[in-house]
Amino acid sequence: NAGVTQTPKFQVLKTGQSMTLQCAQDMNHEYMSWYRQDPGMGLRLIHYSVGAGITDQGEVPNGYNVSRSTTEDFPLRLLSAAPSQTSVYFCASSTAGPLYNEQFFGPGTRLTVL
Amino acid sequence: GENVEQHPSTLSVQEGDSAVIKCTYSDSASNYFPWYKQELGKRPQLIIDIRSNVGEKKDQRIAVTLNKTAKHFSLHITETQPEDSAVYFCAASIQGGSEKLVFGKGTKLTVNP
């Protein structure tokens, strides 16, 4: 099993550009989530999904969209990138919600918005 | 909403000493408290967790204690080793039907040989 994979590993965008961060898992996990990690801020939840076709907002959803068309994939879309979105983004998955099962994190995507 | 405070932000100890990291939470309905370790440049990994029906849990050199009355929980690492150097995050569950965790801001632990 590859576990949780994320692409790309690094990305530089200009303000106003859009892009999609990819996340995939091969563990048949129902729950998937996106976090951003900023220095001194810990991990903050952006969006999450409890299963295919179901998504919900986390703490910091503004400026991001998600969809969950399959169990395996959970892409994160930046609609119009802003410098405030410069961060490291982690995708995570678990069998069910994080309150009952260990969350497995992907390797992260380091995004810089100029 | 839930707020998780974590202290200290940095901690430096000598190899073999103990390290303690403390977290407080605001939502009295929270019932799940995991701890994650993140080595430099790596992904966070769960190291131990505790539920509200338990006061203490141990796993070799790592232990977590929970005081529900005071709404705080702590990570204890004994006989620290250089490979324990990392950033440690605590988290608490959010209730109200959602499946979410709120994380503390992290503690950078340095174990000096």
Side-chain angles (χ1 to χ4, degrees):
Chain A
N1 285 353
V4 181
T5 58
Q6 291 182 236
T7 56
K9 290 187 178 181
F10 302 94
Q11 183 70 48
V12 179
L13 291 178
K14 294 181 179 179
T15 297
Q17 288 184 317
S18 63
M19 78 159 295
T20 299
L21 307 185
Q22 301 291 345
C23 174
Q25 51 89 12
D26 61 359
M27 298 176 282
N28 201 31
H29 285 172
E30 290 295 326
Y31 184 96
M32 296 186 74
S33 55
W34 277 101
Y35 292 90
R36 61 177 289 172
Q37 184 175 33
D38 302 296
M41 293 297 293
L43 293 157
R44 291 184 292 170
L45 183 65
I46 304 171
H47 285 286
Y48 67 101
S49 169
V50 299
I54 305 169
T55 64
D56 205 348
Q57 296 181 349
E59 298 175 71
V60 289
N62 292 340
Y64 308 94
N65 275 358
V66 292
S67 60
R68 185 91 179 274
S69 56
T70 68
T71 299
E72 295 78 19
D73 301 297
F74 191 43
L76 178 72
R77 298 183 190 85
L78 280 69
L79 308 174
S80 178
S84 61
Q85 294 179 303
T86 294
S87 188
V88 179
Y89 292 85
F90 286 99
C91 178
S93 74
S94 56
T95 306
L99 309 189
Y100 302 98
N101 300 272
E102 177 179 356
Q103 280 196 107
F104 294 89
F105 283 82
T109 294
R110 184 174 294 275
L111 175 67
T112 301
V113 183
L114 303 176
Chain B
E2 174 72 285
N3 185 45
V4 176
E5 298 285 339
Q6 184 172 347
H7 299 279
S9 57
T10 61
L11 180 59
S12 182
V13 300
Q14 290 299 121
E15 182 176 359
D17 288 349
S18 295
V20 181
I21 302 170
K22 299 181 179 180
C23 288
T24 60
Y25 60 98
S26 58
D27 187 350
S28 57
S30 294
N31 62 4
Y32 176 63
F33 309 92
W35 286 89
Y36 285 81
K37 175 183 180 182
Q38 186 179 29
E39 297 177 357
L40 186 64
K42 301 290 182 64
R43 69 193 78 185
Q45 290 188 301
L46 180 71
I47 56 171
I48 196 168
D49 56 13
I50 192 167
R51 299 191 185 277
S52 59
N53 58 345
V54 175
E56 183 177 4
K57 184 177 179 180
K58 289 183 180 180
D59 183 2
Q60 299 183 336
R61 297 186 295 108
I62 294 173
V64 57
T65 58
L66 172 64
N67 184 326
K68 284 215 71 180
T69 302
K71 290 190 285 188
H72 68 70
F73 56 111
S74 300
L75 178 70
H76 304 254
I77 306 174
T78 59
E79 301 173 16
T80 54
Q81 301 168 3
E83 52 264 40
D84 294 328
S85 296
V87 178
Y88 292 82
F89 294 98
C90 64
S93 59
I94 296 176
Q95 297 309 296
S98 61
E99 293 277 349
K100 293 186 275 191
L101 295 172
V102 175
F103 283 81
K105 294 183 178 181
T107 296
K108 182 178 180 181
L109 173 64
T110 302
V111 180
N112 301 299

